[in-house]
């Protein structure tokens, strides 16, 4: 079966491609790559050094096409030299093997190969994204609001910083930052490094990201935040944004959101929560108290590919504000976002994204949520939290 196309050159290309897709599916199943199917006696990875890997597998690209058998052999080598993230001993990252139903959703959306910017090119998926975002906001406690799926939690955090700036100084969209003063943002010393990168990318400057002390458990100290805000004001700077973390990378700490929210309200600062890892606690009645006060914040970043096991990548940015997102990011490109369309244009969400091309990330989550329901996902979170400390990863992982 594997060499049928090679032995018979008259086999149609479409048949060859269909054969390859079937073989890849069988490979995934036979190699135990689905979540929960890895064997403890298997190795997590067949590690080889980079230079050796280049010798073991021909990675070069050239003029001549490979045969069907050669292509499939490369796919097997990809499995051989990849990390088995579904292995029970894969512990050093904050994600794990993909949910099989979510994987099926990812395969289907990839096959349909559309772009999530207008309803007319992605009608079903656009409605799915709206529904999923509304469902996620309901766990935060927001009846209204807005949101979008992003390529990773780092970009979701950046959305928070940009929306916060626009919300306080809408003129920055057209006039720039020259006349609004020296903006200052705050994050804990245990916060994710993406906030530091965002400070650079949005023109804030890394010196204007103030690190706030954490307690021995890794939680931001509210009194220290207020001290830093007061000091910035005394220096004639303009505090505008606070990043709290729900589930820090190293300690797994949850910052105290309620007192932080009161401080932000007192000084008119936008409070964003990086819940890339810890957001899963929201679906658990037992653990959602870790995020007490979450409904008081302005925005949340949540990686559903972490604790809930959706296939990478699956990250959402959520905000309780309904009138900021589109005004902040829209460019009104007329070749995509015409004003005289024949349907409700509120579902053309592409203009509020900083991307033009955007993958369908919501569908795989929607499908696995349909298959498992709130209770099934809550059970997953409870199982994760019940693991002994040695089984729970606390090492560094990017958002």
């Amino acid at each position: 079966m594997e060499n049928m196309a090679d032995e018979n050159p008259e086999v149609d290309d479409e048949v060859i491609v269909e054969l390859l897709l079937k073989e890849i599916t069988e490979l995934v199943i036979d190699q135990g790559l689905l979540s929960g199917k890895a064997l403890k006696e298997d190795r997590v990875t067949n590690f080889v050094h980079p230079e050796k890997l280049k010798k073991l597998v021909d990675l070069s690209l050239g003029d001549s096409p490979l045969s069907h058998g050669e292509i499939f052999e490369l796919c097997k080598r990809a499995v051989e030299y990849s990390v088995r993230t579904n292995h029970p001993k894969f512990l050093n990252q904050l994600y794990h093997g993909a949910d099989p139903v979510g994987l099926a959703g990812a395969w289907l959306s990839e096959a349909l190969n559309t772009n999530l910017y207008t309803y007319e090119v992605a009608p079903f998926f656009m409605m799915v994204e709206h529904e999923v975002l509304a469902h996620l906001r309901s766990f935060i406690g927001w009846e209204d609001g807005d949101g979008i799926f992003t390529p990773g939690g780092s970009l979701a955090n950046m959305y928070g910083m940009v929306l916060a700036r626009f919300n306080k100084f809408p003129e920055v969209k057209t006039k720039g930052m020259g006349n609004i003063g020296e903006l200052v943002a705050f994050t804990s010393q245990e916060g994710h490094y993406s906030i530091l990168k965002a400070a650079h990318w949005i023109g804030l400057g890394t010196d204007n990201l103030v690190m706030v002390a954490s307690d021995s458990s890794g939680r931001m100290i509210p009194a220290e935040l207020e001290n830093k805000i007061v000091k910035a004001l005394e220096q004639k700077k303009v505090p505008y944004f606070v990043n709290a973390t729900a589930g820090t990378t190293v300690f797994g700490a949850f910052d105290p959101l309620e007192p932080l929210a009161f401080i932000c309200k007192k000084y008119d600062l936008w409070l964003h929560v990086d819940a890339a890892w810890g957001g899963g606690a929201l679906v658990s009645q037992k653990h959602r108290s870790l995020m007490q006060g979450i409904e008081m914040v302005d925005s949340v970043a949540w990686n559903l590919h972490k604790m809930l096991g959706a296939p990478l990548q699956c990250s959402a940015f959520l905000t309780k504000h309904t009138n900021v997102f589109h005004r902040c990011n829209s460019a009104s490109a007329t070749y995509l976002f015409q004003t005289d369309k024949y349907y409700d244009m509120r579902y053309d969400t592409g203009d509020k994204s900083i991307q033009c091309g955007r993958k369908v990330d919501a569908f795989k989550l929607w499908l696995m949520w349909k298959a498992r329901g709130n209770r099934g996902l809550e059970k997953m979170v409870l199982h994760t939290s019940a693991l002994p400390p040695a089984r729970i990863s606390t090492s560094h992982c990017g958002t």
Side-chain angles (χ1 to χ4, degrees):
M1 179 178 179
E2 180 181 317
N3 297 313
M4 179 184 73
D6 302 329
E7 295 172 357
N8 185 0
E10 297 181 1
V11 174
D12 188 88
D13 283 346
E14 291 184 5
V15 175
I16 297 174
V17 172
E18 290 176 3
L19 177 62
L20 179 63
L21 291 174
K22 292 177 181 178
E23 289 176 335
I24 293 298
T25 303
E26 292 173 359
L27 181 66
V28 168
I29 296 171
D30 292 344
Q31 290 292 316
L33 303 184
L34 298 175
S35 181
K37 296 299 182 181
L39 301 176
K40 291 183 179 180
E41 57 267 26
D42 291 340
R43 301 179 67 176
V44 178
T45 180
N46 181 23
F47 179 82
V48 296
H49 288 280
E51 293 304 317
K52 183 177 181 181
L53 184 56
K54 287 194 289 186
K55 295 176 181 178
L56 290 171
V57 183
D58 182 7
L59 302 173
S60 63
L61 300 173
D63 294 329
S64 301
L66 298 183
S67 68
H68 167 78
E70 290 171 320
I71 291 293
F72 185 61
E73 189 64 29
L74 287 175
C75 293
K76 291 194 289 186
R77 295 289 77 76
V79 173
E80 181 180 356
Y81 295 113
S82 291
V83 177
R84 302 293 184 101
T85 61
N86 68 322
H87 196 286
K89 293 182 180 178
F90 176 73
L91 301 173
N92 80 322
Q93 302 291 306
L94 300 183
Y95 60 92
H96 50 83
D99 182 282
V101 178
L103 181 61
W107 282 353
L108 182 57
S109 60
E110 290 290 317
L112 288 165
N113 195 41
T114 193
N115 202 327
L116 207 61
Y117 45 44
T118 63
Y119 179 84
E120 58 195 316
V121 296
F124 188 86
F125 294 139
M126 192 67 78
M127 299 305 292
V128 163
E129 181 173 82
H130 276 264
E131 181 60 34
V132 172
L133 289 169
H135 196 59
L136 294 177
R137 289 195 302 268
S138 72
F139 283 97
I140 298 173
W142 298 334
E143 292 185 5
D144 297 311
D146 208 343
I148 201 166
F149 275 80
T150 72
S154 293
L155 192 60
N157 288 334
M158 193 181 298
Y159 267 118
M161 297 185 78
V162 172
L163 259 65
R165 184 178 61 184
F166 177 83
N167 188 63
K168 198 173 186 72
F169 300 103
E171 67 272 20
V172 77
K173 181 175 182 178
T174 53
K175 305 298 183 183
M177 296 176 61
N179 297 315
I180 62 175
E182 191 173 356
L183 296 184
V184 180
F186 305 84
T187 190
S188 85
Q189 62 190 40
E190 300 297 334
H192 193 262
Y193 68 85
S194 60
I195 304 298
L196 186 69
K197 287 194 172 187
H200 157 55
W201 269 64
I202 71 172
L204 189 68
T206 56
D207 287 347
N208 286 321
L209 178 64
V210 178
M211 299 295 172
V212 181
S214 301
D215 62 22
S216 59
S217 298
R219 304 169 78 235
M220 185 191 292
I221 303 171
E224 289 296 320
L225 172 63
E226 186 161 20
N227 289 340
K228 297 289 188 180
I229 294 172
V230 170
K231 182 177 180 180
L233 290 169
E234 291 173 348
Q235 295 172 338
K236 307 302 182 184
K237 295 184 178 182
V238 185
Y240 88 106
F241 173 90
V242 173
N243 173 68
T245 308
T248 61
T249 304
V250 177
F251 287 101
F254 287 74
D255 287 340
L257 301 182
E258 198 167 67
L260 295 179
F262 285 127
I263 292 171
C264 288
K265 184 177 181 180
K266 178 180 178 180
Y267 293 98
D268 191 26
L269 274 63
W270 181 290
L271 179 56
H272 171 78
V273 178
D274 177 2
W277 178 64
L282 289 172
V283 305
S284 166
Q285 292 299 317
K286 180 178 179 181
H287 297 298
R288 64 174 292 113
S289 60
L290 291 167
M291 300 176 69
Q292 183 176 341
I294 185 69
E295 73 284 352
M296 303 169 67
V297 312
D298 294 283
S299 58
V300 175
W302 187 353
N303 281 357
L304 292 310
H305 59 248
K306 289 191 173 175
M307 196 178 298
L308 296 188
L312 279 157
Q313 60 199 19
C314 193
S315 304
F317 172 79
L318 308 162
T319 178
K320 68 180 180 184
H321 300 278
T322 58
N323 60 347
V324 177
F325 216 142
H326 187 269
R327 289 191 297 115
C328 177
N329 294 324
S330 65
S332 302
T334 55
Y335 75 96
L336 282 176
F337 308 110
Q338 301 91 356
T339 58
D340 58 348
K341 290 186 177 180
Y342 51 90
Y343 57 83
D344 188 343
M345 292 177 295
R346 289 178 302 170
Y347 294 103
D348 284 359
T349 59
D351 205 17
K352 66 185 179 185
S353 167
I354 63 168
Q355 303 165 251
C356 179
R358 194 162 64 88
K359 284 175 63 66
V360 178
D361 287 329
F363 178 69
K364 56 196 174 190
L365 177 63
W366 176 82
L367 198 65
M368 58 180 277
W369 214 306
K370 281 284 193 180
R372 308 195 184 286
N374 293 345
R375 290 193 296 270
L377 294 178
E378 180 180 19
K379 184 178 179 181
M380 183 184 301
V381 173
L382 291 173
H383 171 74
T384 301
S385 63
L387 293 173
R391 293 290 309 281
I392 299 178
S393 167
T394 57
S395 66
H396 186 77
C397 170
T399 300

